[in-house]
Amino acid sequence: MKFGVVQFPGSNCDYDCYYAIKNILKAPVEMIWHKEKEHNLKGYDCIVLPGGFSYGDYLRVGAIARYSPIMTAVIDFALKGGLVLGICNGFQVLTEAKLLPGALIRNECLHFICRQQTIRVENIDTPFTKLYQKGQVLKIPIAHGEGCYYADEETISELENHHQILFRYCDARGEITREANPNGSLSNIAGICNRERNIVGLMPHPERAMEECLASLDGRLLFESIVIQLKQRQRRKFCPET
Amino acid sequence: MEKFKEKKFWQKWNLTSPEYQLICQALNREPNELELGIFSVLWSEHCSYKNSRSLLKRLPTEASWVVQGPGENAGIIDIGEEELVVMKIESHNHPSAVEPFQGAATGVGGILRDIFTMGARPIALLDSLRFGNFQENLTQYLYSGVVGGISFYGNCIGVPTVAGETVFSDSYQGNILVNVMAVGLVKKGEIVRAVAKGVGNSVILIGAKTGRDGIGGAAFASVQLSEQSDEDRPAVQIGDPFTGKLLLEACLELAQFEEVVGLQDCGAAGLASSLSEMAARGESGIEVEVSRVPQREMGMSPFEIILSESQERMVVVVEKGKEDRVLNTLKRWDLDSAIIGKVTEEQSFTIKDRGHQVASIPLPSLVGGTPVIKREAKRPEGMEKVNHLDLKEIEEFEDYNQILLNLLTSPNLSSKEEIYQQYDYLVQTNTLIPPGDDAAILRIKGSKKALALTTEGNGRYCFLDPRQGARIAVAEAARNLSCKGAKPKAVTDCLNFGAPENRASYWQLEQAIEGLSEACRFFETPVISGNVSLYNEKEGKSIDPTPVVGMVGVVGDYRQVCSLAFKKENDLIFLLGESEEELGGSEYLEVIHKLKCGVPPVLDFEKEKKIQNFCRVMIEGGFLASAHDCSLGGLALTLAESCLANGLGAEVELKSDLRSDCCLFGETQSRIVVSISPTYYEKFREAALGEGIPFQYVGIVKGNRLKINQWINLAVSQLEKSWRS
């Protein structure tokens, strides 16, 4: 089992993700350089697109990164069922690459916002959320200027119908309210997955909520869910009869 | 050449006639325009400290843990376990007054380059901001521009902005202050120096292409702002945090290479200063060919190329014949690079344009030869009147509820969440105590240690008494750190004053440096780096003298730190230290009584240190639930802030013979409000008595209201509403 963290020029949460996986999760992880066009991501089980400002977020957030050489391999990996996690800027890149529906636009307040945020777990039927409980309220920080999730009505209802909305911004009691929505996202959407459930994007930063001293441990179960999934998969591979 | 003399051409470059004579002597001839331009920027106050140097010598700069004092790009201290802390503060006042967004953004970019130039990874930014009257439209524009600029650059480059101050006062109307501090970490033995040496070694310029922006910016920073300053907008540089980020990562890789001899940021005065300073440090010379400099625009003259302050550029000196690995690394990061010159034996700065020599300046006179100017200092007229305060003339009230709410709403005491939420203060996942507390705490990954960081400065105190104001700034910075459990270690200072030609301003500068020296010596926090910003005036009116102290402290065990928030019902609240009948220079007097007078609070160094040490030992022992420095707004504000942080109330009974307003809002120094669990009461009491620490039981954490004697009785939710409005 091995994680890969993609380094785009301008990624700035790459080391945070690397540290969280290696030092907290104690799972194998490597950095993957954006220029590696021929990379086939063989040997990797989960690819993380980290937060930051890939290519300076010039033109439009995530728009240039989507054409980065490594993305050909990432798209291929994702379409073959590999686990892909996009955090913050990574989520933006995933929508630009059309691996996830919708778009992330400028926050309603028009400026960057960094704070501890409560989100509610909406669906646990994914490799990324299986260790959470449905309805569980998590404290996970956000830090973005373009985190307002937007999609047309049809897409939103499809997301709802196929249980693709994984996290919603909520208040401390778990209520989905207007006030609890930090950026104006439709339906308070904080994180979604694709219909096949192997690609997840979310604006909050689980890698910033992995240790006691960092005010919250709630991000840990997301990464631990992935590890458990991968271990089960490995076991199935080696002992098909079980 | 005679034409220069006749028209006094040098005046356009802010040089004086005697300075021009010195330049002619150094060259043994008259300078050409390019040479004059180079002298102008290198001999500006911003680059040479010619007005302040004689005073700065008074500051203590040494201690056994100081690895690098003033003189390099940033100061360095050793905190043990092979770990070194690099830090520096710098002003970007004038550019930000003219173009707030880019001015502040490039301030951040510049200070970060000072850190990674030395091979250190930047781990934190702090900003100390001063604006004019909050009600003015201009202030709103400048304020949102500056905050936006810091947010734009700091967030993108991935360095958390973890602490700072924002103060509004009429004194800064027309001349705002934007002081940015950066802190980095580097392993022992991995420091890179900003030096050019080794005859024949290659001088490589890396990063952004050179354009026409920011020409003469350092000289612009060294004159007063005026109505015409808006026309100087081209002297403000444009920031590109994305290139800054690539440069940061690439330089940290280069810093590991043995063939890299020196690394220098291209900051104020562009290539002119970076090349000449590197060579001067290495006691070598540099020859540069301007046509090899990658340019953003067509037809740039040697003058424009050498003096451009285009951002996101660095100079690296590499051993001759070993340039490939460096060039390949830069290519990997998609950064432009070009070999633009070489190190020479003769100590001169030689500039060529397509092979023709266009300037040649002996380095010792250019870099070390700045004339030191000793100015005349004179205490400003009318200080007796300003320092006069008769408390009998100040009305006391029966009920202070509305007054407390008014104070909480005032721009200097209200919540700064709206500001710091625009900064990514969590990236790098080290922030243990975020903005909004006395100081920020950052853990050091792979170590048990943590760093505490703060900035502190009170212009009003310094206006009333610059020496005392500066002493208090140091004491308070140290108290901020001690309240979080850290031991103060070193200072970086940013001295914001008026024009040194003005005798009153010069007196303020002299007095403040004296105060800083005394306090830094006493608290054993040497000044390891800093910046002087003079000419902070508009239309001849100087700002309040504002020395800003940036301080770093070390926590032995990152788990033993303490925030300002009350934690639990029934915890006991104590005041360490004693309140005196002092209101001079207080926020209360200015906000409620519209008075800016009196003398700043008294400061007893010995007592201050004793109380700080005690607080730190109590935190290290795990006895304190909360600790909060009692400063701006006095005891009432301190208690209110501890309540607001967790939404817990407090019942407080102050037993004192002092006037009610002094009790509540006086800003007596050497006071800390702590809360402790009742189980630790005996231990706490014993220790305090044993150490001879003055302390007073004032109440308990309880309910959801803040009650202080018969004076204040307000719901915390009500406090919060005002505080956040």
Side-chain angles (χ1 to χ4, degrees), chain B residues 588-615:
Chain B
Y588 168 76
L589 264 196
E590 176 145 1
V591 175
I592 304 299
H593 295 278
K594 313 289 174 229
L595 287 173
K596 186 175 167 181
C597 65
V599 290
V602 170
L603 174 64
D604 175 343
F605 278 159
E606 292 289 350
K607 184 172 164 188
E608 177 77 56
K609 199 183 224 171
K610 231 166 119 175
I611 288 174
Q612 287 189 20
N613 286 347
F614 177 73
C615 184

Side-chain angles (χ1 to χ4, degrees), chain B residues 148-221:
Chain B
I150 294 170
S151 162
F152 164 71
Y153 206 109
N155 296 350
C156 181
I157 201 163
V159 179
T161 301
V162 295
E165 327 156 74
T166 309
V167 175
F168 298 88
S169 153
D170 288 344
S171 126
Y172 306 105
Q173 191 74 34
N175 195 124
I176 62 171
L177 302 183
V178 175
N179 294 179
V180 191
M181 170 174 161
V183 182
L185 284 176
V186 60
K187 291 276 177 216
K188 215 169 177 173
E190 293 182 4
I191 306 169
V192 186
R193 304 277 173 187
V195 54
K197 58 184 181 189
V199 175
N201 282 345
S202 292
V203 176
I204 304 176
L205 177 63
I206 64 178
K209 289 189 170 62
T210 300
R212 288 194 170 96
D213 50 335
I215 290 171
F220 165 62

Side-chain angles (χ1 to χ4, degrees), chain B residues 156-427:
Chain B
C156 181
I157 201 163
V159 179
T161 301
V162 295
E165 327 156 74
T166 309
V167 175
F168 298 88
S169 153
D170 288 344
S171 126
Y172 306 105
Q173 191 74 34
N175 195 124
I176 62 171
L177 302 183
V178 175
N179 294 179
V180 191
M181 170 174 161
V183 182
L185 284 176
V186 60
K187 291 276 177 216
K188 215 169 177 173
E190 293 182 4
I191 306 169
V192 186
R193 304 277 173 187
V195 54
K197 58 184 181 189
V199 175
N201 282 345
S202 292
V203 176
I204 304 176
L205 177 63
I206 64 178
K209 289 189 170 62
T210 300
R212 288 194 170 96
D213 50 335
I215 290 171
F220 165 62
S222 305
V223 292
Q224 299 166 28
L225 289 169
S226 67
E227 281 298 322
Q228 280 78 47
S229 294
D230 283 356
E231 291 170 18
D232 283 328
R233 200 159 285 141
V236 180
Q237 316 83 351
I238 308 293
D240 173 4
F242 173 57
T243 306
K245 169 73 172 163
L246 301 182
L247 209 50
L248 188 169
E249 297 299 339
C251 285
L252 291 182
E253 273 185 39
L254 296 188
Q256 302 291 325
F257 295 175
E258 274 178 13
E259 62 269 32
V260 169
V261 177
L263 199 55
Q264 165 81 323
D265 148 44
C266 244
L271 285 171
S273 75
S274 52
L275 296 177
S276 55
E277 282 171 10
M278 279 184 105
R281 282 196 199 102
E283 295 182 349
S284 314
I286 273 189
E287 184 184 299
V288 59
E289 170 57 60
V290 288
S291 61
R292 294 212 202 123
V293 173
Q295 293 155 44
R296 195 188 298 154
E297 296 166 66
M298 296 280 284
M300 285 181 69
S301 69
F303 183 91
E304 290 170 322
I305 294 168
I306 291 296
L307 290 171
S308 161
E309 289 190 7
S310 286
Q311 298 288 292
E312 284 80 51
R313 298 180 302 159
M314 306 279 284
V315 174
V316 52
V317 174
V318 183
E319 283 177 34
K320 191 184 174 188
K322 295 184 181 169
E323 298 87 354
D324 283 357
R325 186 156 68 137
V326 169
L327 296 175
N328 287 336
T329 300
L330 295 165
K331 207 170 151 196
R332 182 170 179 267
W333 284 102
D334 295 319
L335 286 164
D336 277 332
S337 61
I339 300 175
I340 61 166
K342 61 178 187 222
V343 180
T344 60
E345 189 165 6
E346 192 195 345
Q347 290 182 41
S348 86
F349 183 26
T350 309
I351 301 169
K352 291 187 169 175
D353 184 11
R354 293 179 201 87
H356 300 292
Q357 183 169 310
V358 289
S360 176
I361 305 173
L363 279 166
S365 57
L366 180 63
V367 179
T370 324
V372 173
I373 305 171
K374 181 90 181 78
R375 300 281 181 187
E376 209 181 314
K378 189 167 176 289
R379 190 163 185 257
E381 311 251 322
M383 284 304 282
E384 291 78 13
K385 207 177 146 207
V386 168
N387 288 144
H388 172 80
L389 171 66
D390 185 355
L391 286 180
K392 287 191 212 84
E393 292 164 16
I394 308 288
E395 189 192 353
E396 263 189 279
F397 305 93
E398 296 287 313
D399 175 342
Y400 284 92
N401 285 320
Q402 192 52 46
I403 287 174
L404 179 59
L405 293 176
N406 289 350
L407 284 167
L408 282 168
T409 320
S410 70
N412 293 340
L413 298 175
S414 61
S415 167
K416 299 292 176 291
E417 200 175 74
E418 187 193 308
I419 299 173
Y420 64 73
Q421 280 198 346
Q422 294 185 48
Y423 308 142
D424 188 345
Y425 52 83
L426 295 171
V427 64

Side-chain angles (χ1 to χ4, degrees), chain B residues 576-650:
Chain B
L576 303 180
E578 306 149 287
S579 306
E580 304 289 339
E581 197 139 277
E582 293 176 311
L583 270 190
S586 64
E587 193 71 20
Y588 168 76
L589 264 196
E590 176 145 1
V591 175
I592 304 299
H593 295 278
K594 313 289 174 229
L595 287 173
K596 186 175 167 181
C597 65
V599 290
V602 170
L603 174 64
D604 175 343
F605 278 159
E606 292 289 350
K607 184 172 164 188
E608 177 77 56
K609 199 183 224 171
K610 231 166 119 175
I611 288 174
Q612 287 189 20
N613 286 347
F614 177 73
C615 184
R616 192 167 51 245
V617 169
M618 285 292 107
I619 294 171
E620 283 165 358
F623 296 116
L624 301 190
S626 75
H628 189 11
D629 166 31
C630 190
S631 60
L632 227 53
L635 194 51
L637 259 290
T638 308
L639 288 163
E641 285 166 355
S642 290
C643 287
L644 283 162
N646 264 344
L648 286 170

